[in-house]
Amino acid sequence: MKIRKYKNKDEIQILKLDRLVEEHPWNRRNLKNWYWKYKGKNPFGRSLVWVAEKEKKIVATFSVIPLEYILDKKTVLGGCSIAMIVHPDYQNKGLIKFVADKLFNDAALNRISFIYGYPNEKAYQIHKQFFSYEDISMQNLFHKKLDNKLIINRTNSFTVEKANNFSKAFDSFLNNVKKQRKICLNRNINFLKWRYLQRPDYSYDFFLFKNNKNKICAYVVLKIYKENKIKRGHIIDCFYDKKENVFSDIIKFSEEYFYKAKCSEITLWLQGDQIAKNKLINAKYKIKNKRPMICKFLKEGKKFKKKLNSKDWFFTMGDTLEIY
């Protein structure tokens, strides 16, 4: 058995392994997605992919995508761990531990301080027991049904326009809003272009909100997703100036957008802003289910343990590279 870094064209075998192991029919990985995610223009660095190979056949793999964070107004390199896959013949034999050890050592050498993920139930136990991940929160999935009785009452305080590129004014907005949060992903123009405008297998709609002075005060990223007969709207990401009373308008605009697209429901994640969460509940959003958010602290990241908590860590669906 050989444990090694990814090499060119490994993705062909990795995707075959994924098809063999993964049971659910939705959100399938494909080559276009793989090249975008692992070889695309992520401004925060190259992706780390490790595999286990036996007789020239890949039987296990695990990856980390580097993502830069603003933590107490300083930049810190974190990562999102994804795609832990083991061939059925090699499951429950400890093989993935050897792959993970190499992956985490590689991450430390690349100055990654912490690695977070959203494992399924089976993988959660492995991450906790063998990889030393720690619980951060149970991520709430906020959900609301959209029916014929939906009434939208947006204010006249904000105008909304679709964005296909980003200006210096947008960059100034991002820098201003990042200062308002204790912990958040370093949303900069290059990251947002890669994450939302360059993804080849899904299309997102990116909208800017401007106040009465024509100043950008928020953005929202929306995606329509079909699962069997259900047409669902995801609020993938939103970022907003806390000094503007704009969050409720973001939600109302999103509901209107999905309603016109004949979606039957709307979902989102929102962590790290209790005031906004209260507004969701007041707008009749229910918590449909929860998913564990866990984090591994590497050597340089142990000092951030207490700071990386669900109260302060602003997090949306767009901050994970695997699920949405």
Side-chain angles (χ1 to χ4, degrees):
M1 188 73 69
K2 183 178 182 182
I3 311 297
R4 61 168 176 80
K5 284 184 179 181
Y6 160 88
K7 65 182 181 182
N8 195 34
K9 296 186 178 181
D10 277 347
E11 60 271 19
I12 306 299
Q13 282 202 54
I14 290 172
L15 286 175
K16 286 183 179 179
L17 180 62
D18 177 55
R19 289 292 189 273
L20 176 67
V21 173
E22 192 57 80
E23 296 177 352
H24 67 72
W26 47 270
N27 200 24
R28 286 294 195 180
R29 305 176 183 101
N30 58 40
L31 277 175
K32 285 184 178 181
N33 177 277
W34 205 96
Y35 291 132
W36 162 75
K37 188 181 296 180
Y38 296 102
K39 290 189 171 184
K41 297 180 180 179
N42 180 0
F44 302 135
R46 67 181 182 86
S47 300
L48 310 178
V49 183
W50 281 76
V51 302
E53 182 184 56
K54 185 173 184 181
E55 297 175 356
K56 297 185 178 181
K57 181 179 179 181
I58 292 175
V59 294
T61 184
F62 200 10
S63 306
V64 168
I65 309 292
L67 295 170
E68 192 171 81
Y69 267 78
I70 303 296
L71 201 160
D72 288 341
K73 299 181 181 180
K74 297 180 180 179
T75 57
V76 176
L77 191 61
C80 180
S81 57
I82 60 175
M84 186 185 79
I85 313 170
V86 182
H87 191 285
D89 292 345
Y90 296 90
Q91 292 179 9
N92 303 316
K93 296 182 179 180
L95 174 60
I96 195 60
K97 177 71 165 59
F98 293 101
V99 179
D101 286 345
K102 292 288 187 180
L103 176 66
F104 298 145
N105 287 337
D106 194 12
L109 290 173
N110 280 273
R111 301 182 299 105
I112 292 177
S113 295
F114 60 91
I115 302 169
Y116 61 86
Y118 285 87
N120 59 34
E121 186 175 347
K122 183 177 180 179
Y124 172 78
Q125 299 300 331
I126 295 173
H127 281 68
K128 291 288 298 293
Q129 184 176 354
F130 298 108
F131 304 159
S132 300
Y133 277 70
E134 299 182 29
D135 292 316
I136 298 296
S137 67
M138 291 300 291
Q139 190 68 258
N140 295 326
L141 178 73
F142 288 94
H143 172 273
K144 184 176 182 177
K145 289 186 177 181
L146 302 177
D147 55 35
N148 294 330
K149 297 179 181 180
L150 182 68
I151 299 174
I152 304 294
N153 292 311
R154 285 200 288 132
T155 69
N156 295 320
S157 302
F158 307 99
T159 57
V160 185
E161 60 186 50
K162 195 169 184 179
N164 296 310
N165 51 61
F166 304 117
S167 64
K168 290 183 179 179
F170 182 65
D171 190 47
S172 297
F173 154 76
L174 292 172
N175 291 330
N176 175 49
V177 175
K178 283 183 283 191
K179 292 175 183 177
Q180 299 176 3
R181 288 164 171 78
K182 291 184 179 180
I183 308 155
C184 66
L185 194 149
N186 186 11
R187 290 163 167 82
N188 60 40
I189 286 177
N190 287 334
F191 171 78
L192 294 173
K193 281 183 178 178
W194 168 66
R195 179 64 178 90
Y196 299 116
L197 303 186
Q198 296 172 1
R199 181 170 174 173
D201 56 326
Y202 273 121
S203 61
Y204 301 98
D205 286 317
F206 201 115
F207 295 97
L208 302 179
F209 286 69
K210 294 183 177 181
N211 63 15
N212 291 332
K213 296 180 180 179
N214 203 38
K215 183 179 179 181
I216 298 171
C217 56
Y219 77 71
V220 66
V221 182
L222 306 178
K223 185 186 82 172
I224 295 174
Y225 181 75
K226 291 182 179 179
E227 183 179 355
N228 299 322
K229 294 182 179 180
I230 299 174
K231 193 175 185 182
R232 180 180 300 121
H234 290 314
I235 299 179
I236 295 291
D237 190 23
C238 58
F239 210 46
Y240 43 92
D241 189 338
K242 288 186 175 182
K243 297 176 182 177
E244 304 268 0
N245 190 23
V246 66
F247 181 76
S248 293
D249 267 56
I250 292 172
I251 297 303
K252 290 175 182 178
F253 170 80
S254 302
E255 290 177 357
E256 183 179 26
Y257 175 85
F258 291 132
Y259 180 76
K260 289 179 178 179
K262 300 185 185 309
C263 293
S264 60
E265 60 186 50
I266 180 172
T267 63
L268 72 152
W269 285 357
L270 188 71
Q271 176 181 277
D273 188 336
Q274 188 60 48
I275 293 175
K277 289 168 73 173
N278 290 340
K279 289 183 177 181
L280 285 173
I281 293 170
N282 289 337
K284 298 182 179 179
Y285 281 78
K286 306 293 184 182
I287 297 174
K288 187 174 183 179
N289 58 50
K290 298 184 178 184
R291 189 176 182 123
M293 179 187 189
I294 58 175
C295 190
K296 179 179 176 64
F297 299 95
L298 301 180
K299 185 177 180 180
E300 293 298 318
K302 294 186 185 299
K303 57 188 174 184
F304 303 131
K305 272 190 179 186
K306 292 183 179 180
K307 295 182 178 181
L308 288 168
N309 59 76
S310 60
K311 180 182 176 182
D312 297 326
W313 191 341
F314 183 81
F315 204 97
T316 68
M317 286 177 171
D319 295 357
T320 172
L321 272 296
E322 182 74 322
I323 306 169
Y324 300 102

